[in-house]
Amino acid sequence: MKVAKFGGSSVASAAQFRKVADIIRSDIERRIVVVSAPGKRYKDDVKVTDMLIRLAEQVIAGESYEETMEAIVKRYADIANELELEADSFLAELIDDLQSKISAYRSEPPRLFDAIKASGEDHNARLMALYLQDCVLEASYVSPLEAGIIVTDEPGNAQVLPESYDKLKQLRERRGVLVIPGFFGYSRSGHIVTFPRGGSDITGSIVAAGVKADVYENFTDVDSIYCVNPSIVADARKLKEITYREMRELSYSGFSVFHDEALEPVYRAGIPVCVKNTNNPAAPGTWIVAKRNHIDEPVAGIASDTGFCSINISKYLMNREIGFGRRVLQILEDEGISYEHTPSGIDNMSIILRANQLSDGKDERILARIREELAVDEVTIEYGLALIMVVGEGMEKTIGMAAKATTALANANINLEMINQGSSEVSMMFGVKEEVVNEAVRALYNAYFQQAAVSQPS
């Protein structure tokens, strides 16, 4: 059995619906389909989810929302009409459902946002099931509630509950193709609750783990996962395979293919993932697996992200002061701030965090508290940092990996603001100024991938 998840670009139009149907028909093992809401059809188009968010915002603000509602309904009507489906009842149910959610949750904005946003995936799954039936396939829509996806009651941040997996297992006994909407589940109290960013990927992973699928296929709009952002490096190398652990590190560090939470259910269940292209399903794609042969390719990928800052603290004999680090982090916790990394020395400590957390004067309050409560010699905040992560499970047993990186950056005349390597040696982090991050990524790519390709025997 295969669980196939189709992202927003894969279900954005009638033409894409036809491709999805062809993919499902081509393999009888594709028994469960998870779909996103319709995405962009072209560059300047608007995703249905963004339209739904706008609808919820207008309701909460007490503004007229009829025009937005009409635009949402029209997106589904355009798909249905082009597919020549009898969809009058479907469209009427769509309007009634949105209106009923508005009536039920108008005074509860977090609930309203979750219920309205989730309707994008929900109604797209209903429409996909209708189309598959029209294609003479035995297919049915299955709501997350019917499937058994029970989640915590945290609007916008649902976490699946263990009891879901026993219920999901029963889907194996159902006949035909099952179409399940991604992005949301139901709380024990019966409320719709959405997953965080990348929610449809999370649903697909949960369902695959629950039904004990042989493979979880994630269909998107690229042939493979690239070892580096192809908008930074032209003709970037495609990955044949990558491990769960490497993928999580890269997702956390800026890869947009998967949210870093999305792989946990299939990772724990040991289910391989194949990332494939809806527009070119014959391409082999990229496999995400537990282990790979990394002898010839110790580095799996390079990811980068911007918008960081560093709180830099200096104090003589800091290493002798018991509880110093705990008290620093307590100050951040008091301000509701999370951190990313804490590289340190015997007399200094740096805390890397997202700069957007330091609004409303938090930066000055934090600096003042660190000076007063910890009696430090110096504390400053450095803004405009970018982090680059070099990831690969083969680096641990390969000599000279860090030297190769620092040499490449030095040859590119790029100054390193910081370097941090975890004890597992699965990743190395480099901090550089934001304005040189793309240049730094290209230098590292050339060092780890281009030079390696040249050195391999023909």
Side-chain angles (χ1 to χ4, degrees), residues 35-257:
V35 298
S36 295
K40 290 186 177 183
R41 295 161 294 185
Y42 45 85
K43 182 179 179 182
D44 296 325
D45 197 14
V46 180
K47 297 177 181 179
V48 165
T49 300
D50 291 337
M51 298 166 73
L52 290 164
I53 290 171
R54 178 61 179 151
L55 174 66
E57 290 172 342
Q58 289 171 329
V59 171
I60 291 167
E63 300 172 359
S64 172
Y65 58 82
E66 285 74 15
E67 186 176 336
T68 304
M69 177 85 82
E70 288 175 6
I72 292 165
V73 174
K74 186 176 185 302
R75 277 296 300 273
Y76 289 102
D78 287 347
I79 294 172
N81 291 336
E82 193 172 335
L83 293 173
E84 299 180 348
L85 295 175
E86 291 292 335
D88 289 347
S89 61
F90 163 79
L91 295 172
E93 288 173 7
L94 168 60
I95 296 169
D96 288 345
D97 180 64
L98 289 172
Q99 291 288 12
S100 66
K101 286 179 168 63
I102 290 170
S103 298
Y105 296 118
R106 189 188 295 268
S107 61
E108 300 179 78
R111 296 279 187 211
L112 179 67
F113 268 110
D114 267 15
I116 294 294
K117 284 190 298 181
S119 67
E121 275 75 7
D122 195 35
H123 291 285
N124 215 33
R126 294 173 190 268
L127 187 58
M128 180 62 73
L130 281 176
Y131 177 58
L132 294 178
Q133 292 164 9
D134 192 65
C135 293
V136 199
L137 282 170
E138 185 178 4
S140 57
Y141 159 82
V142 180
S143 78
L145 183 61
E146 183 186 353
I149 302 176
I150 308 303
V151 299
T152 56
D153 200 358
E154 307 167 72
N157 191 36
Q159 305 294 315
V160 68
L161 293 174
E163 63 207 62
S164 300
Y165 293 105
D166 286 336
K167 185 74 183 293
L168 283 163
K169 194 185 305 180
Q170 298 173 24
L171 294 177
R172 291 188 66 97
E173 309 306 319
R174 301 269 300 256
R175 289 174 54 85
V177 177
L178 310 181
V179 186
I180 302 174
F183 190 37
F184 71 100
Y186 282 81
S187 68
R188 286 171 176 158
S189 57
H191 289 294
I192 291 171
V193 191
T194 62
F195 292 112
R197 181 173 60 91
S200 290
D201 288 336
I202 295 173
T203 299
S205 187
I206 290 168
V207 172
V211 301
K212 300 188 184 302
D214 297 298
V215 176
Y216 170 38
E217 296 179 316
N218 194 290
F219 283 87
T220 181
D221 55 6
V222 292
D223 281 355
S224 304
I225 298 173
Y226 294 90
C227 65
V228 69
N229 187 337
S231 68
I232 297 176
V233 177
D235 299 320
R237 182 184 297 185
K238 297 174 182 178
L239 293 172
K240 293 180 180 178
E241 61 180 9
I242 186 172
T243 68
Y244 299 118
R245 195 177 180 193
E246 291 168 336
M247 193 68 232
R248 169 162 158 66
E249 290 270 359
L250 290 166
S251 297
Y252 160 78
S253 308
F255 259 38
S256 60
V257 178

Side-chain angles (χ1 to χ4, degrees), residues 373-427:
E373 297 175 25
L374 300 176
V376 300
D377 298 330
E378 184 180 13
V379 57
T380 59
I381 299 180
E382 181 182 3
Y383 289 95
L385 288 180
L387 298 185
I388 303 170
M389 201 74 79
V390 177
V391 176
E393 292 201 42
M395 295 195 300
E396 182 179 5
K397 297 181 179 179
T398 305
I399 296 171
M401 298 305 293
K404 184 175 286 191
T406 54
T407 299
L409 294 172
N411 290 341
N413 200 31
I414 293 170
N415 185 50
L416 265 176
E417 303 297 322
M418 70 191 69
I419 179 171
N420 191 29
Q421 184 170 14
S423 58
S424 66
E425 295 192 36
V426 174
S427 64

